[in-house]
Amino acid sequence: MSAPEVVVHRDKELMAKAAAARLITKIVDAQAARGSAAIVLTGGRNGNGLLAALAEAPARDAVDWSRLDLWWGDERFLPEGDPERNDTQARAALLDSVPLDPARVHPMPAADGSYGNDPDAAAEAYAAELAAAAGPEDHGPVPSFDVLLLGVGPDTHVASLFPELPGVRETERTVVGVHGAPKPPPTRISLTLPAIRAARQVWLLAAGEDKANAAAIALSGAGEVQAPAAGARGRSRTLWLLDEPAAAQLPRGLYPPASA
Ligand SMILES: O=C(O)[C@H](O)[C@@H](O)[C@H](O)[C@H](O)COP(=O)(O)O
């Protein structure tokens, strides 16, 4: 697992634009090297802020959208089209504006879908979908995602893996149902740390002073059960993308600002 690197930007708007530009370049390079790219999206303000910045990015259409596989790191287990669902918000922020191949967009099941109101059955189905997309060269029953995006909660949660809850302790399954999440809605579906750690690169997005404590805890050697963000590592790169307020509690000497 790769050690975390930290890049600090002036504010959340610049962080979103810089992360979007970084993501475009990563996707273009992956598509040039392997003919396609696979990205895992995250919900929340920072995740959707990145997607909105990507929609407006001058280089947006350097990406071949028809050869991009999109997955989700977690989902609020709500009926399809519910405005609170991560995929609903991602479609509004970017996905409905670009010519994706619908067969390559993999939303997590909805609470009114084939699995009824059973998040555990829905999680098993998504795990099977990931396994079917994995190849012999991949590291486990998930595709080798080029970039797996994660927002970071003020309590250090990532995806829907919350401190001390069962999901963060899962070591075998790649996707789990989440019950009683402290962040509403309480019922969710989430990738687990083993699935997250199969990604080539994991990028953690944290902007705003409400993330300063979480960033400091997760980057100061805390355990993954107490601080799930600490366990979110990529095989070749783990990148924390912060703004100045979110970096305020980090030892300045270790992580100098990356931009004005
Ligand atoms: O379903 C969700 O809510 C997200 O996937 C969640 O993991 C989010 O990324 C963090 O809570 C950060 O959210 P903010 O960026 O809005 O603070």
Side-chain angles (χ1 to χ4, degrees):
M1 288 196 297
S2 53
E5 301 165 59
V6 177
V7 171
V8 181
H9 292 292
R10 182 187 61 219
D11 55 39
K12 70 175 182 299
E13 290 77 16
L14 186 55
M15 188 271 265
K17 289 174 185 170
R22 184 186 291 273
L23 187 58
I24 288 170
T25 302
K26 195 80 198 89
I27 294 169
V28 168
D29 286 354
Q31 291 180 331
R34 286 188 300 280
S36 68
I39 303 297
V40 181
L41 301 181
T42 187
R45 292 162 298 174
N46 292 168
N48 288 318
L50 187 162
L51 296 183
L54 187 42
E56 300 302 317
R60 182 188 84 176
D61 293 330
V63 170
D64 179 345
W65 295 100
S66 71
R67 290 188 293 134
L68 181 64
D69 293 305
L70 287 181
W71 302 86
W72 270 265
D74 74 329
E75 188 56 272
R76 295 100 178 260
F77 194 56
L78 297 164
E80 186 166 354
D82 187 295
E84 282 306 303
R85 274 180 62 89
N86 290 333
D87 68 340
T88 307
Q89 295 177 2
R91 292 182 198 285
L94 171 69
L95 309 191
D96 287 348
S97 311
V98 289
L100 292 158
D101 175 354
R104 303 184 82 153
V105 179
H106 307 272
M108 288 183 163
D112 58 350
S114 316
Y115 309 96
N117 208 15
D118 180 349
D120 302 311
E124 276 181 37
Y126 202 70
E129 191 174 351
L130 285 163
E137 73 288 354
D138 290 325
H139 290 247
V142 293
S144 292
F145 308 120
D146 292 289
V147 178
L148 187 145
L149 299 170
L150 291 169
V152 180
D155 62 355
T156 75
H157 79 258
V158 288
S160 289
L161 304 177
F162 294 90
E164 308 281 355
L165 291 192
V168 73
R169 301 171 191 274
E170 178 62 42
T171 58
E172 300 299 325
R173 290 176 292 167
T174 55
V175 191
V176 291
V178 176
H179 306 265
K183 177 178 181 181
T187 307
R188 293 161 165 259
I189 300 173
S190 184
L191 295 190
T192 59
L193 286 178
I196 289 169
R197 293 199 277 243
R200 289 187 174 92
Q201 298 200 14
V202 171
W203 298 359
L204 295 103
L205 311 171
E209 61 184 355
D210 62 324
K211 305 302 176 73
N213 188 42
I217 289 169
L219 286 165
S220 62
E224 64 194 29
V225 172
Q226 292 76 22
R233 301 282 187 88
R235 285 189 285 120
S236 61
R237 194 174 195 193
T238 302
L239 181 60
W240 281 71
L241 295 170
L242 307 178
D243 70 352
E244 286 282 357
Q249 295 179 27
L250 297 185
R252 171 73 72 176
L254 285 179
Y255 306 110
S259 67

